[in-house]
Amino acid sequence: MHTLNLGILAHVDAGKTSLTERLLHTAGIIDEIGRVDDGNTQTDSLALERQRGITIKSAVVSFALGDVTVNLIDTPGHPDFIAEVERVLTVLDGAVLVVSAVEGVQAQTRVLMRTLQRLRIPTLVFVNKTDRAGARYEQVLRAVHDRLTPHAVAMGPAITGLGTRAAHSVPYADDDPRLTRRLTDLLTEHDDALLGAYVEGGEELAPARLRAELAAQTGRALVHPVYFGSAVTGAGIDALSRGIRELLPAAGGDAEGPVSGTVFKVERGRAGEKLAWVRMFSGTVRTRDRLPFGQGPEAVSEGKVTGIRVFADGTDTGRASAGPGQIAKLQGLGGIRIGDAVGDTRAAATGHHFAPPTLESVVVPAPPASRGELHFALSQLAEQDPLINLRQDDIRKEVSVSLYGEVQKEVIQATLADECGIDVTFRGTTTICLEKPSGTGAAFEIIDKDDNPFLATVGLRVDPAPPGSGVTYRLEVELGSMPYSLMRAVEETVVDTLAQGLYGWRVTDCTVTMTHSGYWPRQSHSHAVFDKSMSSTAGDFRNLTPLVLMAALGQAGTTVYEPMHRFRLELPADTLGPLLPALAQLGAVPGAPAVDGARCVLEGVIPAARVHGLQQRLPGLTRGEGVLETAFDSHHPVTGTAPRRSRTDHNPLDRKEYLLHTARRSGNGAD
């Protein structure tokens, strides 16, 4: 038996979960097909998922498809839960992208397909809901070709009974001339040897060779077979199942090789223990093994595996080991996080495939006495979703969470109420900006000089860096000029301090260089009693570094950048005139419109904070015919007055205020 880790992805309401139910029923895993509307599906196990009829958390279910064991992963379709999709992508061998035959290609469908192509994940397209009124064949197939991939090939002819419960399509036979012609045209684009055989032979290529080449090129994500059918009626499911079994590549890996796997989900068991969902790539993990985990060779922890559960036959079952290609729940690795590698930690997943959240909101507990409990509960939620960051404001006693959208707020609110018994409300949603240095700035303070109350010498220079480079830390002093613990204290504090720049936003795309260093070595009295008032400690450097860094950053100046979304608008050409002034009011920058008869396509960028406003105004401006697609693009400098964010630190920009909180010695030398 081979293993295939298969992801099902789609825009919300395209029918992913229904397709999962149909595949499980066809494989004999379930006797009755659940319905999303009835809240009785296999993979939507959360109460909130059943109530809302949407998938929030990814779920795994395993079944046999001929000689292939499929670990099928159902993923959320709503854009607010894109972080769940991101984590699944790291473990897939192949994917099925679901498109509705009624709604057609949607904005989220395009975002997903672009990511699948960028990661070169082999993908089949399944056009669902052919039994629904309004279902289309030619128009949707053309949209798949024009808006998703030009390398799509329909695996069956037009549907009979389209738009009715009797909708049905018999897939092409392998030797059908219509299929062989299309495959020949498509496959020879990517294979010179195949093209040569076709040209030299002077006749059609053998169907068996075309089928083998289709599997090879699908496995390399060069072409994308398209199937039509209905998850509700079962039409087209047999053809799709054959495509999954024959065209998508099975997982590889050496069971006797070194252990290597990736954590793509973390949850808590009934007793509160951590359960790490791991996709195994090579090697074999056994209970009682001591297993290293982490992200990168310098961030390695180790834990003892106390339990293993492997997905098989529709559920997860206890096993003594897990090998290549399998998805296992590992228990006992207490400090493990999403994105960690197990075994070979150099293989840790790096970078995000989707943009980070650009919104945030303050979570307000009711009653206020539950604030500590709220922070603990939110920390556990953030543990399961690393793209949702918490921002603790100890001064105002507030906690903020970063978000993708308003639906996510509702889910967090319901989850806290149902699972933790904590009632919360949210304040207004605000946009998360960034700061970048406008120029170069430098500052230093010398030990026991002027009004430096800390036993430390620190000098720092801040320089702009290329876009997307993040924060780089460098030394212009000798590494041995101070103990390593003091050097490390400065570097760590630099990174922490840059979380809040001159306007309160995280500072990025900069290089910070240490230019001055100095310390007082350990001092003691004649009786060998340590005198901390005469000896430098890491605390001196942690307290002084924010003052020096903010002074350098103040000299350099910063520019605030706001998140921008790229947009694509399809609208009647005669509504373009009224729309353009509205876009200008919203701060959008449109490109040149592309007019094709009575239709018009307009692309450009718009501030993320204004997307919701555009969505609200669009129907009235386009007679309800405008179609909007948006996705995060980049950060652009804010025009006009730069927004400020309240600080959560002791404000090193105000020296007097800062020293009241942190100075270890006052001006007269007292502690």
Side-chain angles (χ1 to χ4, degrees):
M1 294 284 286
H2 302 292
T3 299
L4 169 68
N5 292 293
L6 178 70
I8 296 188
L9 299 88
H11 186 274
V12 66
D13 288 336
K16 303 178 314 305
T17 303
S18 297
L19 177 59
T20 299
E21 292 287 306
R22 174 59 66 176
L23 289 170
L24 294 177
H25 182 267
T26 301
I29 297 298
I30 57 177
D31 296 327
E32 185 176 348
I33 297 175
R35 297 182 69 248
V36 174
D37 292 341
D38 295 340
N40 60 353
T41 58
Q42 292 292 304
T43 52
D44 286 345
S45 57
L46 298 180
L48 192 60
E49 291 178 313
R50 298 183 186 278
Q51 293 166 13
R52 294 187 63 100
I54 61 173
T55 301
I56 296 171
K57 295 291 184 182
S58 58
V60 178
V61 64
S62 183
F63 62 92
L65 199 60
D67 61 348
V68 177
T69 297
V70 178
N71 289 325
L72 192 150
I73 308 175
D74 186 25
T75 63
H78 198 286
D80 281 13
F81 308 108
I82 199 69
E84 279 290 317
V85 181
E86 169 170 324
R87 292 192 286 277
V88 170
L89 294 179
T90 64
V91 305
L92 296 184
D93 301 307
V96 174
L97 183 63
V98 184
V99 177
S100 168
V102 179
E103 290 85 9
V105 174
Q106 300 290 296
Q108 186 72 356
T109 321
R110 300 183 70 195
V111 172
L112 293 169
M113 189 60 171
R114 282 196 297 266
T115 305
L116 290 166
Q117 290 176 318
R118 184 169 69 250
L119 298 175
R120 304 195 68 80
I121 295 175
T123 303
L124 308 180
V125 177
F126 181 68
V127 181
N128 192 27
K129 300 186 179 181
T130 56
D131 61 312
R132 296 284 186 89
R136 299 161 296 161
Y137 178 87
E138 292 291 346
Q139 297 94 321
V140 174
L141 187 59
R142 190 180 310 115
V144 168
H145 184 275
D146 294 343
R147 301 178 65 187
L148 291 183
T149 170
H151 306 299
V153 53
M155 300 302 289
I159 311 293
T160 58
L162 187 65
T164 71
R165 296 280 293 186
H168 184 65
S169 173
V170 178
Y172 289 126
D174 288 350
D175 59 353
D176 190 303
R178 294 168 292 180
L179 179 62
T180 57
R181 283 195 297 270
R182 176 58 180 148
L183 288 180
T184 299
D185 292 341
L186 187 63
L187 300 177
T188 52
E189 290 183 29
H190 305 290
D191 191 308
D192 291 340
L194 192 69
L195 176 61
Y198 174 63
V199 172
E200 294 172 7
E203 57 185 27
E204 290 187 354
L205 296 167
R209 180 168 184 180
L210 287 173
R211 187 77 186 186
E213 187 62 28
L214 175 63
Q217 293 196 20
T218 301
R220 303 204 309 271
L222 296 175
V223 299
H224 304 284
V226 181
Y227 299 86
F228 282 76
S230 168
V232 171
T233 67
I237 298 301
D238 288 342
L240 175 64
S241 298
R242 182 191 179 195
I244 293 171
R245 186 177 68 252
E246 297 180 359
L247 301 181
L248 294 179
D254 180 5
E256 304 302 322
V259 172
S260 176
T262 297
V263 179
F264 68 96
K265 183 173 181 176
V266 172
E267 65 180 9
R268 294 276 177 174
R270 293 182 178 179
E273 75 280 11
K274 271 190 178 181
L275 299 174
W277 296 44
V278 179
R279 155 69 196 266
M280 295 296 299
F281 290 100
S282 71
T284 302
V285 173
R286 299 175 176 84
T287 52
R288 296 185 294 278
D289 279 355
R290 296 201 64 83
L291 196 64
F293 59 87
Q295 298 185 25
E298 297 181 358
V300 177
S301 301
E302 190 175 79
K304 183 179 180 180
V305 179
T306 58
I308 299 174
R309 300 189 69 83
V310 174
F311 288 92
D313 299 326
T315 185
D316 57 305
T317 58
R319 296 285 176 85
S321 64
Q326 292 184 312
I327 293 178
K329 293 182 183 180
L330 302 185
Q331 183 178 338
L333 308 179
I336 203 161
R337 301 169 298 167
I338 292 172
D340 280 355
V342 297
D344 183 0
T345 58
R346 295 170 299 178
T350 57
H352 296 311
H353 309 308
F354 296 95
T358 57
L359 305 173
E360 72 175 356
S361 181
V362 174
V363 188
V364 182
S370 62
R371 186 173 288 113
E373 187 180 358
L374 169 65
H375 187 268
F376 176 78
L378 285 173
S379 297
Q380 289 209 327
L381 290 183
E383 181 183 82
Q384 299 172 25
D385 191 342
L387 291 186
I388 297 180
N389 299 312
L390 296 185
R391 185 172 183 261
Q392 176 79 19
D393 187 339
D394 293 325
I395 298 173
R396 294 169 183 80
K397 307 301 182 184
E398 295 175 346
V399 180
S400 300
V401 293
S402 55
L403 304 161
Y404 282 100
E406 296 299 315
V407 172
Q408 201 173 12
K409 287 167 65 172
E410 297 176 29
V411 170
I412 292 174
Q413 185 178 39
T415 302
L416 290 172
D418 295 344
E419 298 183 7
C420 308
I422 302 174
D423 292 326
V424 300
T425 58
F426 288 84
R427 292 188 190 158
T429 303
T430 58
T431 304
I432 301 174
C433 297
L434 298 174
E435 291 183 53
K436 300 183 182 183
S438 306
T440 296
F444 63 89
E445 295 205 21
I446 305 298
I447 194 170
D448 204 30
K449 295 286 186 180
D450 301 322
D451 60 346
N452 178 5
F454 305 109
L455 298 184
T457 293
V458 174
L460 297 170
R461 186 178 68 247
V462 178
D463 296 294
S469 59
V471 176
T472 303
Y473 182 78
R474 295 176 179 170
L475 296 177
E476 278 187 2
V477 298
E478 292 291 335
L479 183 59
S481 62
M482 292 196 310
Y484 178 75
S485 61
L486 303 184
M487 287 286 194
R488 186 67 178 167
V490 175
E491 181 178 357
E492 291 174 349
T493 307
V494 163
V495 175
D496 292 342
T497 303
L498 289 178
Q500 300 179 78
L502 304 181
Y503 294 88
W505 305 104
R506 181 172 64 86
V507 182
T508 188
D509 294 347
C510 65
T511 300
V512 179
T513 305
M514 188 174 190
T515 58
H516 297 71
S517 65
Y519 76 109
W520 281 359
R522 185 181 179 93
Q523 302 288 328
S524 61
H525 296 294
S526 57
H527 298 292
V529 178
F530 173 56
D531 185 355
K532 67 177 183 178
S533 68
M534 299 293 290
S535 307
S536 299
T537 66
D540 287 296
F541 287 87
R542 294 187 187 279
N543 287 331
L544 180 59
T545 297
L547 283 174
V548 176
L549 180 57
M550 285 296 105
L553 195 63
Q555 187 182 106
T558 62
T559 302
V560 178
Y561 286 69
E562 64 179 332
M564 303 290 288
H565 281 217
R566 60 181 176 271
F567 69 85
R568 184 180 189 275
L569 268 169
E570 294 184 11
L571 65 156
D574 61 349
T575 65
L576 180 61
L579 179 66
L580 290 176
L583 290 174
Q585 291 174 1
L586 294 170
V589 181
V595 179
D596 182 10
R599 304 297 295 176
C600 173
V601 175
L602 185 66
E603 298 184 356
V605 294
I606 184 173
R610 308 294 182 86
V611 170
H612 185 62
L614 177 57
Q615 291 170 334
Q616 289 182 315
R617 298 180 64 178
L618 187 63
L621 292 168
T622 62
R623 301 191 298 272
E625 298 181 43
V627 179
L628 173 67
E629 296 178 11
T630 67
F632 174 79
D633 180 68
S634 60
H635 285 84
H636 288 194
V638 172
T639 57
T641 304
R644 290 184 176 272
R645 188 192 210 185
S646 59
R647 303 192 71 88
T648 61
D649 57 13
H650 295 305
N651 193 12
L653 292 170
D654 185 330
R655 187 179 185 90
K656 183 177 180 180
E657 177 187 340
Y658 181 81
L659 291 179
L660 283 174
H661 291 281
T662 58
R664 57 179 282 178
R665 295 186 303 164
S666 64
N668 61 10
D671 285 339

